[in-house]
């Protein structure tokens, strides 16, 4: 699969990445999701992918350069968990009271 991240095409695949659930290699424009992820974690592949995409966005926008490793990882982890919940909610049907036009 290919993803356009900030105008650059990243290859996304499942593979062997011992000790990691996901890996973003921005210099190669490649994201790998552990093929044995479900054996080692209850985190969904979609959330891991989102986590790695956020790393890629930070890299492509130059923000990685101003963060230290643990700071970036903490920010990415929090964003991935929070945004994955929003994505889950957005994939569901809207409640009827939100489906109609917004009242003035």
């Amino acid at each position: 699969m290919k993803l356009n991240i900030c105008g650059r095409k990243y290859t996304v695949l499942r593979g062997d990445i011992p000790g990691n659930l996901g890996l973003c290699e921005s210099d190669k424009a490649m994201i790998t999701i552990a093929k044995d992820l479900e054996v080692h974690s209850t985190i969904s592949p979609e959330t891991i992918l989102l986590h790695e995409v956020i790393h890629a966005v930070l890299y492509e926008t130059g923000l990685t350069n101003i963060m230290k490793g643990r700071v970036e990882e903490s920010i990415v982890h929090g964003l991935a968990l929070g945004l994955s919940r929003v994505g889950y909610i957005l994939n569901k049907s809207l409640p009827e009271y939100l489906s109609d036009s917004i009242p003035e």
Side-chain angles (χ1 to χ4, degrees), residues 63-99:
L63 291 171
T64 294
N65 297 329
I66 63 170
M67 291 186 229
K68 300 295 179 205
R70 295 189 129 215
V71 171
E72 179 179 346
E73 196 58 35
S74 295
I75 289 169
V76 168
H77 182 72
L79 285 171
L81 289 177
L83 291 173
S84 69
R85 290 183 185 119
V86 170
Y88 175 79
I89 291 166
L90 291 177
N91 281 329
K92 302 292 181 197
S93 297
L94 288 174
E96 188 176 318
Y97 64 90
L98 291 177
S99 297

Side-chain angles (χ1 to χ4, degrees), residues 45-60:
E46 294 81 10
T47 299
I48 299 298
L49 176 58
L50 180 57
H51 178 105
E52 301 309 329
V53 166
I54 293 169
H55 275 298
V57 168
L58 292 176
Y59 177 86
E60 297 298 333

Side-chain angles (χ1 to χ4, degrees), residues 2-85:
K2 296 274 188 182
L3 287 178
N4 184 332
I5 301 174
C6 298
R8 189 168 175 212
K9 289 185 181 171
Y10 275 69
T11 300
V12 179
L13 50 89
R14 298 289 296 251
D16 288 320
I17 44 174
N20 291 294
L21 302 178
L23 181 65
C24 177
E25 297 174 278
S26 297
D27 56 326
K28 297 177 184 177
M30 183 177 293
I31 294 174
T32 306
I33 307 301
K35 70 179 180 182
D36 60 351
L37 170 70
E38 292 82 358
V39 173
H40 300 288
S41 177
T42 58
I43 301 173
S44 72
E46 294 81 10
T47 299
I48 299 298
L49 176 58
L50 180 57
H51 178 105
E52 301 309 329
V53 166
I54 293 169
H55 275 298
V57 168
L58 292 176
Y59 177 86
E60 297 298 333
T61 58
L63 291 171
T64 294
N65 297 329
I66 63 170
M67 291 186 229
K68 300 295 179 205
R70 295 189 129 215
V71 171
E72 179 179 346
E73 196 58 35
S74 295
I75 289 169
V76 168
H77 182 72
L79 285 171
L81 289 177
L83 291 173
S84 69
R85 290 183 185 119

